[in-house]
Amino acid sequence: MWIRRLLVAAATLALVSALVFLVVDALADRAALDLGRGASPEALAARRHLLGLDRPIVTRLFEHVASAMSFELGESARLGVPVVTLLRRAAGPTLAYALPGFLLATIVALLAGVAAARRRGLVDRVLLVVSTLLMSCSSVIVVVLGQYLLAHRMRWFPVLGWPLAGDPRPLLGFVLLPALLWALIQLGPDLRHYRAIFVRELAAPHVEGLRARGLGERRVVLRVLRGAAAPVLARVSARLPQLVLGSVVVEHVFNIPGLGALLVAAVRDADLAVVQGVAFCLAAATIAGQALCDLAVYLLDPRTRAPAEAGR
Amino acid sequence: MRQVEGWRRPLGLAGVVALAGLGVFAVLALGAALGLWAAGFEGAVAREHLSPGPGAWLGTDALGRDLLARTIQGARVSLAVGGGAALGLVAIGGVLGAFAGLRGGWIDRLLAGLCDALAAIPPVVTLLGAALLLRPGLATAIAAIALTQWHGVFRSVRAEAQRMRSADHDRAARAMGAGTWHRIRWHLLPRLRPLLVTSLVLCFVYAVKVEAVLAYFGASAQTLPSWGRLLAETGSELARGIWWPTAAASVPLALLVLCAQVLADRLGEGEPRG
C-alpha cells in the first residue's frame, strides 16, 4: 500500500512538471525573453538553437521531466546561479516565519474550535464573528495595517528587515511580527473549519457513551481530539501549498529574502527557470507533506488501518 | 429533499443585508463602467495628499487624484475579476467533476490526477507566473484564476456525482440509455444547485482576495485603479500619518468580501461541508 502511495506521489509530481513545461512552452518564447524586444529574427533563431528549442517538443518534454525529477532545475538567467541553490537559500527565511506562524494559527484555531463547539452560546457567537471579520480582511490589509499598528505605532517590533549573515542582531525580533501576521491571515478560515469538525465529532454517539461511563470532560475532549485527527490532518495537508510558500505579501512588506520574494523578483525579471523551479519544488514539498499527513493519520487513527488489513 | 428545502429557506436579515450590500457595489461598479460617475479618476483635482473634506470626499492621493473616484473605479476591477473568475471556476470544475464522477474509469483517474497536480502548486506561483507568461491585465487575471483553481469545485462535484451513480434513479436512467450529458443536465444539476450556488459565492470571495494580492504586485488590471494596487501604493504612507488612501482601499475591499462571505454562510447553512 505504501509503495502504491509513493508511486502516486511521484506520478503527480511528474505530471506537475510536465504541465508547467507545456504551459510555459506554449505561452512563452524563452529566446525572445532572453534577448529582449528588439532582437533580429536571425539572433532569435540562433538563440533558440543554442537553448535547444528547435528540437521536437516530445523530446524536450521527456528531458525536462527527467531532469526535474532528479531536481536539476537549470540556472537562473539573470543571476547565473543554479535554481536549486537559490531555492535552498530562500527556504530558510521562509520557514523561519511561516512554520511558527502556521503552528500558532493551527494551535489557536484548534483550541478555539473546541471551545466554540463545546460551549454553543456567547463564546461560539463571538468566535464566529471574529473569524468572519478576519476572513473578510484580505491578507494585504492585515499585513499593511499590522505593520503600521504594531511596528510603527506601538514600536513593539522592528518595522522590517532581516539579519544577514554576520549581523549580531538576533533573528527572533525580526521573525515575531511576520509570524504573528501570517498566523492571523490563516486563523479565520481555520477556526471555522475546526469548529465544524468538532461540532460533528462531539455529536458522535461514542462521545455520549464516554460521558455515560463517567469519564471526565477533559478526557472526553482528549479522545475527541484524537478521533478528529483524520479531518484535522486533511485540513493541514490542504493548507500545505500555502505553508511552504509562506506569504508573498508578508515577505514583500517586511523585506524577507524568502521564497515569496524570490518568486516576485523572478516574475519581475522574467526569469522563467526560477519560476518553474519554484513551482516544481513547492509542489514537491506539498506532495511529500501530504504523504506524511496520510502516514500520520494511518498511525493515529486505527479506523483507517482495519479495512486495509482485512481487504487489501 | 432536505437540500431543496434548504434552497428555499429565506436568507434571514444578515443575508438580505449582505445581498443588498453586494447590490450597492454592483450598481457603483456598473455606473462607473458606463461613465455615469467617477469618470474623473485619472486627472489631478487638487493638491496631493489633501485630507478628506468637501471637494474631495475621500481626499486625494500622492498625485492629487480624487480618491473617491478611484475607489469606485476599483469596485469595477474587483467585481469583474470576482464574478468572472467565479463563473469560470464553477463552470470548469463543475463540468469536469460531473464528467469524471459519472463516467469513472480512466477519464476519472486522469482528471483526478490533473486536479491533484494543479492543487499541489501554490496559487500565487501559478497566478504570478501566468501574469508573466501572458500580459498582466484584467482578462489574464480572470483566465488564470478560472483555469488553474478549479480543483476545489471539481472535488466536491465529483464526490456528489459518484454518490449519484449508485442511486436507483440514475441506474434506471442509465438502463434506459441516457447519455452522460442528459444525466448531468436532468439528474445531477438539480441535485447540485444549492452546492453550486454556495460555491459560486465562495469562489467570488476567493477571487476577490486573490485579485487584491495580484494587484498588490501589479499583476492585475493595468489601466484601471484597483484596491490592491492602491494599498501597494499607499501602504508606506501610513507611517507619515496619511491614512485616508489606505482606508479608501481597505474598507471597501473588506466590506465586499464580508458581504459575500455572510451571503455564502446564509446560503450554505445546514449543508454538510468538507
Side-chain angles (χ1 to χ4, degrees):
Chain A
M1 187 204 165
W2 283 103
I3 294 174
R4 204 175 141 222
R5 184 76 186 74
L6 273 180
L7 280 179
V8 170
T12 310
L13 194 56
L15 194 58
V16 168
S17 84
L19 266 181
V20 172
F21 173 80
L22 287 175
V23 169
V24 168
D25 197 73
L27 294 179
D29 188 350
R30 285 243 320 270
L33 275 181
D34 284 357
L35 296 179
R37 286 191 195 282
S40 67
E42 294 81 35
L44 281 177
R47 185 76 188 176
R48 274 201 200 104
H49 186 71
L50 189 71
L51 292 169
L53 292 177
D54 48 0
R55 290 173 304 147
I57 185 164
V58 180
T59 320
R60 288 188 292 130
L61 174 65
F62 277 103
E63 257 181 35
H64 178 86
V65 172
S67 61
M69 292 303 277
S70 47
F71 283 86
E72 283 165 21
L73 300 171
E75 269 189 8
S76 155
R78 302 286 144 162
L79 304 168
V81 183
V83 174
V84 178
T85 318
L86 286 176
L87 283 168
R88 206 179 297 143
R89 223 181 277 159
T94 289
L95 283 182
Y97 81 90
L99 201 58
F102 174 76
L103 289 178
L104 181 67
T106 305
I107 291 168
V108 171
L110 276 175
L111 292 177
V114 172
R118 280 182 60 201
R119 303 196 183 89
R120 314 286 294 274
L122 190 65
V123 179
D124 192 17
R125 285 271 183 81
V126 169
L127 284 173
L128 184 70
V129 169
V130 167
S131 74
T132 308
L133 287 180
L134 275 178
M135 278 164 85
S136 313
C137 286
S138 153
S139 57
V140 183
I141 302 178
V142 172
V143 175
V144 168
L145 286 188
Q147 187 198 26
Y148 172 65
L149 287 179
L150 300 177
H152 281 293
R153 261 294 174 76
M154 306 290 192
R155 299 178 184 284
W156 289 347
F157 303 99
V159 171
L160 53 81
W162 197 259
L164 300 169
D167 197 324
R169 290 175 297 175
L171 183 66
L172 189 67
F174 293 99
V175 167
L176 276 177
L177 186 56
L180 190 69
L181 293 178
W182 180 222
L184 216 54
I185 294 170
Q186 304 170 58
L187 191 59
D190 272 5
L191 206 167
R192 287 177 137 207
H193 196 92
Y194 291 139
R195 175 189 173 273
I197 289 174
F198 288 118
V199 166
R200 206 163 50 218
E201 288 290 325
L202 281 167
H206 73 268
V207 178
E208 279 310 299
L210 292 175
R211 288 209 182 102
R213 279 203 235 153
L215 218 61
E217 254 329 272
R218 200 170 284 261
R219 299 197 47 198
V220 170
V221 169
L222 280 180
R223 296 255 173 156
V224 169
L225 270 176
R226 191 178 157 194
V232 168
L233 279 168
R235 172 70 177 180
V236 169
S237 87
R239 276 258 164 222
L240 276 172
Q242 282 126 39
L243 168 65
V244 288
L245 178 61
S247 161
V248 273
V249 183
V250 168
E251 292 189 9
H252 185 79
V253 166
F254 287 97
N255 219 355
I256 299 173
L259 290 169
L262 180 68
L263 174 72
V264 170
V267 167
R268 195 191 52 220
D269 298 341
D271 202 338
L272 274 183
V274 177
V275 177
Q276 270 175 293
V278 170
F280 178 78
C281 281
L282 293 183
T286 306
I287 290 167
Q290 282 166 347
L292 281 181
C293 281
D294 282 1
L295 177 65
V297 170
Y298 181 79
L299 293 177
L300 278 170
D301 194 337
R303 284 172 294 188
T304 55
R305 280 195 297 260
E309 278 158 10
R312 275 170 233 167
Chain B
M1 278 337 283
R2 193 180 53 83
Q3 280 177 331
V4 176
E5 280 163 21
W7 171 232
R8 295 269 158 81
R9 195 191 50 240
L11 288 170
L13 182 63
V16 171
V17 170
L19 198 58
L22 286 180
V24 170
F25 275 110
V27 169
L28 281 178
L30 206 63
L34 294 174
L36 295 181
W37 48 70
F41 66 95
E42 275 169 319
V45 294
R47 66 177 175 81
E48 63 270 24
H49 290 319
L50 191 69
S51 52
W57 289 106
L58 291 179
T60 60
D61 67 357
L63 295 174
R65 294 174 296 192
D66 183 19
L67 275 171
L68 181 63
R70 294 185 76 75
T71 303
I72 293 176
Q73 292 286 346
R76 262 169 89 181
V77 178
S78 279
L79 284 179
V81 173
L87 282 175
L89 276 182
V90 171
I92 295 175
V95 168
L96 291 182
F99 217 68
L102 290 183
R103 274 294 184 78
W106 66 270
I107 292 187
D108 181 36
R109 236 170 278 159
L110 183 73
L111 284 173
L114 194 64
C115 164
D116 284 347
L118 274 179
I121 311 176
V124 189
V125 181
T126 335
L127 299 175
L128 284 179
L132 165 65
L133 294 176
L134 307 164
R135 214 171 305 140
L138 202 62
T140 304
I142 295 175
I145 297 174
L147 288 175
T148 58
Q149 305 301 318
W150 45 265
H151 38 78
V153 180
F154 173 87
R155 281 187 186 139
S156 47
V157 169
R158 173 169 172 254
E160 194 60 34
Q162 279 172 341
R163 228 167 286 146
M164 194 185 88
R165 244 165 85 92
S166 53
D168 283 339
H169 69 86
D170 188 58
R171 224 175 292 159
R174 259 182 294 160
M176 283 190 272
T180 310
W181 284 112
H182 177 90
R183 282 157 69 206
I184 291 178
R185 171 69 189 84
W186 297 105
H187 297 287
L188 193 59
L189 196 61
R191 186 185 168 111
L192 281 177
R193 199 164 287 147
L195 176 80
L196 286 183
V197 171
T198 312
S199 44
L200 195 66
V201 184
L202 284 175
C203 288
F204 176 84
V205 169
Y206 174 78
V208 168
K209 286 167 100 169
V210 165
E211 193 275 334
V213 173
L214 287 181
Y216 189 83
F217 291 104
S220 179
Q222 296 295 298
T223 47
L224 285 172
S226 69
W227 296 333
R229 211 170 71 186
L230 204 55
L231 276 168
E233 287 164 2
T234 61
S236 56
E237 291 167 358
L238 266 182
R240 284 157 47 201
I242 301 164
W243 52 269
W244 51 95
T246 307
S250 51
V251 170
L253 178 57
L255 270 182
L256 177 63
V257 177
L258 182 66
C259 286
Q261 185 69 52
V262 169
L263 185 65
D265 290 347
R266 301 300 309 176
L267 286 170
E269 211 162 61
E271 265 178 49
R273 298 275 308 278

